[in-house]
Amino acid sequence: MKRSDLFPTPLWEEEDCGVDLQSLVDFCYHVKREDPEGRRASNGGGGWQSSDFRCPFLLTTPLKELHDRIIQQAYMSMDDWGFSAYSLHMSNMWININNKKNFNYTHTHPGSLLSGVFYAKVPECCCGDLRIIKDLHEQNLKEAGMVNQNLERWENPANSDEHFVTPKEDKLAIFPAWLAHSVDPSSSCLLYTSDAADERSSVALGGRRIIK
């Protein structure tokens, strides 16, 4: 019997984006030194998060190269998604730096079409994955039908409740902004120090993507 997967949810991943990682990482730590307190948002599980960077100021910083690369990939993603006669605008970007045991709470980005993350610096192992979560209503329907236990025995992409994106330096992930997502705790090393080598730096993109 032929199976059709209805209403699939896209996730786009691009490895080896080719941006200047050292310049980007240096800028991330420069921003943290200038504002060591940062802000509290989805990073309520620890870690540091910068304030938003917005255009046109964003384009005067070392984030410009990454901005341009993301916009390029976002257009490719939207074309692949079936959109036409549109234009995109990135309204904001921000920086996350997570240490051991830091995590980001589940959240979405209302008013957006696309969201995503770019990994600028990643420890050698045991870094917290990006966790993308199926709509809770659909999860509850599966449980209400009393079939959840059987499905979990044979977990596969057709019935899974979560999908994980493993961080990798110079990797970009883009997905619909209304998808709930979180960042798992990092356990990058047994003998942890606060040295930058044991931290993870990422640049998140949220905010509005305007279609005209």
Side-chain angles (χ1 to χ4, degrees):
M1 181 179 292
K2 178 183 177 181
R3 187 184 87 184
S4 297
D5 293 328
L6 304 179
F7 317 119
T9 301
L11 165 68
W12 299 274
E13 297 178 74
E14 176 75 10
E15 297 187 359
D16 303 321
C17 290
V19 302
D20 184 347
L21 292 180
Q22 190 58 58
S23 175
L24 192 58
V25 170
D26 289 345
F27 179 71
C28 289
Y29 287 115
H30 168 75
V31 175
K32 183 180 179 182
R33 286 193 300 270
E34 293 293 313
D35 180 21
E37 293 299 320
R39 69 176 180 184
R40 282 282 174 250
S42 65
N43 61 324
W48 177 88
Q49 187 174 108
S50 74
S51 297
D52 285 340
F53 288 86
R54 300 178 183 274
C55 294
F57 174 72
L58 187 159
L59 302 179
T60 68
T61 75
L63 293 173
K64 181 184 184 303
E65 181 187 17
L66 177 60
H67 166 275
D68 294 346
R69 182 63 170 155
I70 290 172
I71 288 293
Q72 179 186 41
Q73 293 299 318
Y75 271 107
M76 294 175 63
S77 300
M78 294 292 285
D79 287 348
D80 179 59
W81 209 358
F83 284 79
S84 62
Y86 66 94
S87 63
L88 298 178
H89 169 70
M90 182 186 296
S91 66
N92 60 328
M93 300 172 68
W94 61 91
I95 300 166
N96 290 301
I97 299 179
N98 281 6
N99 289 309
K100 185 178 181 182
K101 297 184 179 180
N102 294 158
F103 62 92
N104 294 67
Y105 290 121
T106 302
H107 60 285
T108 62
H109 297 284
S112 308
L113 283 174
L114 297 176
S115 187
V117 61
F118 175 83
Y119 296 102
K121 186 177 180 65
V122 177
E124 292 184 1
C125 75
C126 312
C127 186
D129 287 348
L130 171 67
R131 181 190 298 253
I132 299 177
I133 305 165
K134 180 186 285 186
D135 182 86
L136 294 178
H137 177 67
E138 295 184 25
Q139 293 188 40
N140 291 336
L141 286 176
K142 188 172 72 173
E143 294 178 3
M146 295 183 292
V147 296
N148 193 51
Q149 183 176 358
N150 286 335
L151 283 177
E152 286 181 349
R153 289 175 54 201
W154 309 102
E155 191 87 4
N156 65 62
N159 63 61
S160 60
D161 293 332
E162 299 171 325
H163 179 80
F164 297 90
V165 175
T166 300
K168 180 181 177 183
E169 287 186 7
D170 205 21
K171 178 178 180 177
L172 171 67
I174 296 177
F175 50 89
W178 51 84
L179 285 180
H181 55 283
S182 62
V183 177
D184 287 349
S186 177
S187 55
S188 59
C189 59
L190 294 176
L191 296 176
Y192 173 72
T193 71
S194 60
D195 193 299
D198 300 319
E199 296 179 330
R200 185 184 80 177
S201 299
S202 63
V203 179
L205 46 143
R208 291 172 293 174
R209 302 293 189 276
I210 300 174
I211 298 183
K212 298 179 181 179

